[in-house]
């Protein structure tokens, strides 16, 4: 599904429909044909490639497994798919880089994508913290695979010493546009609580049961989670559902070899119904929203850089409304990414939300008229670039979060971004 009917080629037969659409969104009025064509052309050039290429067709659910060395990610993939799809290591990581496996789940008659991530957690000592480089590489990997759900695989020992891991997850959540996908904490290798000669599974060993419950309590406390319920109302050792859209729950597991223990609880959790939809349905909707929000942010940056590279004569000439045209188009696009129509009314809805005039303001964040801003641009062309970023971020928050934030509040963020880029 494309955002609109159009082509990247200006010579194609479909370009005219895109031109007309752009013109209707930015409302060029009775401008001469040459001027109109100039503004529309700059709007077309400012589109990020992803907009015209974006495909949002359904795909199999995708789980992204990450965790430190020895947590048992590969074993969990093999258990979920019920066949040997990847090597399983004992001490050294066997996966050189992230790789996607397709797994059949016969019980629910569905295919899944499982991303076995080397996650870069393996590159860090067991008692060491995460480097900035680790966070950046994990961020890039998650943007590449765009999973529906994260499975944070940990052993009981790693949970006890896992503050660095949980802190890294929070840093990633802040760093990714739209935040991280919802996640499940998988406490693997709970058989380590078993002493030689003792009974297994935990239902037959009260000591092991209590130690598993203690680890579940610890995860609940560390995250922290303020509301939770047992997955099995009659058996608290099976795991917990959390009342959080970020942290879905915690599941204890044994998946080294058959018979696996508690694997069904993990699968059932993803199909647990909350508010008339399964958890998996919810996470897939959230994935689409994150994808659209990342496109919105990329479009904001692209627009800002495009206007900053435009010929100065077009920026300061009030007869060629490049600034207002591009700005209107940016607002409409962000609204469309969030589910609105790509329409002039979407632009008006945003302007009304932040009490901004559509009349004589050349840039909606500047609050000054054409005559004043003409002189300003001669001194500082970066000003308009930062303004575009501010407007885009304000529109993003409005359309995606239903919050009204004055564009000016994003000025420090704009300065920081363009200083670093």
């Amino acid at each position: 599904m494309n955002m609109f009917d159009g082509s990247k080629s200006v010579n194609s037969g479909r370009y005219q429909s895109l031109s007309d659409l752009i013109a209707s969104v930015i409302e060029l009025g009775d401008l001469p044909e040459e001027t109109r064509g100039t503004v529309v052309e700059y709007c077309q050039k400012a589109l990020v490639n992803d907009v015209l290429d974006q495909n949002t067709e359904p795909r199999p659910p995708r789980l992204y497994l990450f965790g430190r060395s020895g947590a048992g990610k590969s074993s969990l993939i093999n258990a979920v798919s019920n066949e040997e799809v990847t090597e399983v290591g004992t001490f050294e990581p066997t996966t050189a880089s992230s790789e996607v496996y397709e797994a059949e789940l016969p019980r629910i008659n569905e295919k899944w994508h499982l991303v076995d991530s080397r996650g870069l957690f393996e590159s860090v000592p067991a008692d060491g913290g995460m480097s900035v480089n680790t966070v950046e590489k994990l961020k890039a990997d998650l943007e590449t695979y765009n999973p529906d759900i994260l499975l944070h695989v940990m052993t009981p020992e790693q949970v006890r010493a896992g503050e660095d891991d949980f802190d890294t997850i929070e840093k990633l959540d802040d760093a990714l546009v739209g935040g991280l996908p919802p996640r499940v904490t998988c406490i693997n290798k709970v058989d380590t609580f078993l002493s030689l000669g003792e009974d297994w599974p935990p239902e037959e060993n009260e000591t092991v049961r209590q130690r598993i419950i203690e680890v579940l309590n610890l995860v609940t406390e560390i995250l922290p989670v303020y509301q939770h319920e047992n997955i099995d109302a009659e058996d608290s050792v099976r795991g917990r559902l959390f009342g959080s859209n970020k942290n879905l729950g915690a599941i204890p597991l044994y998946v080294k070899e058959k018979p696996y223990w508690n694997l069904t609880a993990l699968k059932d959790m993803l199909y647990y119904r909350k508010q008339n939809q399964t958890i998996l349905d919810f996470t897939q909707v959230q994935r689409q929203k994150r994808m659209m929000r990342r496109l919105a942010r990329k479009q904001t940056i692209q627009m800002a850089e495009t206007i900053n590279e435009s010929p100065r004569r077009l920026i300061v000439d009030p007869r060629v409304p490049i600034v207002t045209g591009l700005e209107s188009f940016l607002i409409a696009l962000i609204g469309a990414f969030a589910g609105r129509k790509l329409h002039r009314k979407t632009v008006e809805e945003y302007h009304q939300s932040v009490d901004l005039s559509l009349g004589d303001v050349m840039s909606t964040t500047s609050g000054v008229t054409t005559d004043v801003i003409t002189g300003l641009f001669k001194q500082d062309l970066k000003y308009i670039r930062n303004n575009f970023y501010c407007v885009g971020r304000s529109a993003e928050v409005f359309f995606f979060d239903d919050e009204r934030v004055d564009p000016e509040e994003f000025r420090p963020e704009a300065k920081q971004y363009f200083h670093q880029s």
Side-chain angles (χ1 to χ4, degrees):
M1 179 185 72
N2 285 335
M3 292 302 301
F4 40 73
D5 184 19
S7 167
K8 287 183 286 185
S9 172
V10 297
N11 297 318
S12 73
R14 301 173 70 187
Y15 175 70
Q16 186 61 41
S17 63
L18 178 56
S19 298
D20 291 344
L21 180 58
I22 292 173
S24 68
V25 167
I26 61 182
E27 199 174 62
L28 295 174
D30 298 326
L31 289 175
E33 189 64 32
E34 181 180 354
T35 300
R36 172 190 291 260
T38 299
V39 179
V40 170
E41 179 184 0
Y42 269 88
C43 287
Q44 167 74 359
K45 287 180 178 179
L47 282 171
V48 295
N49 289 338
D50 309 56
V51 175
L52 294 174
D53 293 340
Q54 190 61 50
N55 187 304
T56 57
E57 294 300 318
R59 71 170 193 202
R62 181 171 292 176
L63 307 183
Y64 183 97
L65 291 83
F66 70 103
R68 290 182 184 256
S69 181
K73 298 183 296 299
S74 297
S75 294
L76 181 53
I77 285 180
N78 291 337
V80 169
S81 62
N82 205 31
E83 61 179 326
E84 296 295 321
V85 295
T86 181
E87 296 179 6
V88 180
T90 305
F91 301 104
E92 297 296 327
T94 60
T95 309
S97 61
S98 298
E99 189 168 353
V100 178
Y101 299 91
E102 188 172 80
E104 291 274 2
L105 275 71
R107 189 175 66 84
I108 56 177
N109 192 30
E110 188 168 341
K111 289 185 177 181
W112 289 63
H113 286 167
L114 306 172
V115 183
D116 186 2
S117 165
R118 196 163 187 267
L120 301 170
F121 277 69
E122 285 93 339
S123 65
V124 182
D127 59 350
M130 302 294 162
S131 68
V132 173
N133 188 51
T134 295
V135 173
E136 286 301 314
K137 289 186 176 180
L138 273 169
K139 175 177 175 287
D141 208 39
L142 288 167
E143 288 175 339
T144 297
Y145 291 106
N146 198 20
D148 298 285
I149 298 174
L150 305 180
L151 299 185
H152 186 186
V153 187
M154 311 178 77
T155 66
E157 291 76 16
Q158 289 169 348
V159 171
R160 294 191 184 95
E163 289 188 6
D164 288 326
D165 290 17
F166 291 114
D167 286 345
T168 298
I169 292 174
E170 291 305 313
K171 291 177 182 177
L172 280 167
D173 196 33
D174 292 336
L176 277 166
V177 176
L180 283 171
R183 49 202 177 272
V184 178
T185 303
C186 297
I187 309 167
N188 197 17
K189 300 187 177 181
V190 293
D191 61 305
T192 57
F193 290 134
L194 189 68
S195 298
L196 187 63
E198 286 190 323
D199 293 327
W200 181 263
E203 290 84 350
E204 300 174 13
N205 189 321
E206 184 60 28
T207 300
V208 172
R209 280 176 50 86
Q210 290 304 316
R211 296 195 68 182
I212 292 174
I213 291 172
E214 287 173 7
V215 174
L216 288 170
N217 288 339
L218 183 58
V219 171
T220 305
E221 180 181 340
I222 290 174
L223 284 175
V225 176
Y226 302 104
Q227 293 181 341
H228 63 86
E229 61 182 286
N230 293 327
I231 287 176
D232 185 336
E234 298 179 357
D235 194 355
S236 58
V237 78
R238 292 290 181 178
R240 293 178 181 175
L241 284 166
F242 297 148
S244 166
N245 289 336
K246 288 186 175 182
N247 296 291
L248 300 177
I251 305 287
L253 294 165
Y254 171 76
V255 293
K256 182 178 180 181
E257 58 188 6
K258 294 181 179 180
Y260 305 130
W261 180 78
N262 212 36
L263 185 62
T264 300
L266 175 59
K267 296 178 182 178
D268 287 345
M269 170 189 277
L270 304 182
Y271 287 89
Y272 180 85
R273 298 194 70 82
K274 294 176 68 174
Q275 297 180 348
N276 297 322
Q277 66 177 173
T278 67
I279 286 177
L280 183 58
D281 289 336
F282 166 78
T283 60
Q284 290 182 312
V285 170
Q286 292 304 303
R287 173 174 61 84
Q288 295 286 359
K289 185 176 180 180
R290 287 194 306 275
M291 185 168 60
M292 291 296 104
R293 188 157 191 165
R294 287 170 191 164
L295 270 177
R297 189 72 61 86
K298 288 176 69 174
Q299 188 64 67
T300 291
I301 294 166
Q302 175 76 1
M303 286 284 200
E305 292 176 341
T306 295
I307 195 65
N308 200 55
E309 295 168 1
S310 301
R312 185 181 302 188
R313 61 180 176 79
L314 294 180
I315 297 177
V316 301
D317 188 346
R319 296 168 298 176
V320 186
I322 290 290
V323 175
T324 50
L326 280 170
E327 194 171 78
S328 294
F329 192 45
L330 172 60
I331 294 167
L333 278 173
I334 292 174
F337 294 150
R340 306 293 208 280
K341 288 185 177 181
L342 190 64
H343 194 276
R344 180 66 182 175
K345 290 183 179 179
T346 300
V347 183
E348 294 169 353
E349 180 187 359
Y350 167 75
H351 279 275
Q352 292 168 3
S353 76
V354 290
D355 297 324
L356 293 169
S357 170
L358 285 170
D360 61 353
V361 178
M362 187 154 185
S363 173
T364 53
T365 54
S366 68
V368 296
T369 61
T370 299
D371 290 339
V372 175
I373 208 163
T374 298
L376 178 61
F377 285 157
K378 293 178 180 178
Q379 300 176 15
D380 185 8
L381 288 175
K382 294 180 180 179
Y383 185 83
I384 188 64
R385 179 192 64 188
N386 290 355
N387 282 354
F388 261 82
Y389 185 92
C390 293
V391 169
R393 288 289 285 115
S394 174
E396 177 191 323
V397 169
F398 173 70
F399 289 118
F400 282 92
D401 301 328
D402 197 26
E403 295 180 9
R404 291 157 176 77
V405 180
D406 191 302
E408 194 65 26
E409 293 191 26
F410 293 100
R411 190 165 297 281
E413 184 179 313
K415 291 179 179 178
Q416 181 183 24
Y417 176 82
F418 290 111
H419 174 73
Q420 293 173 345
S421 63

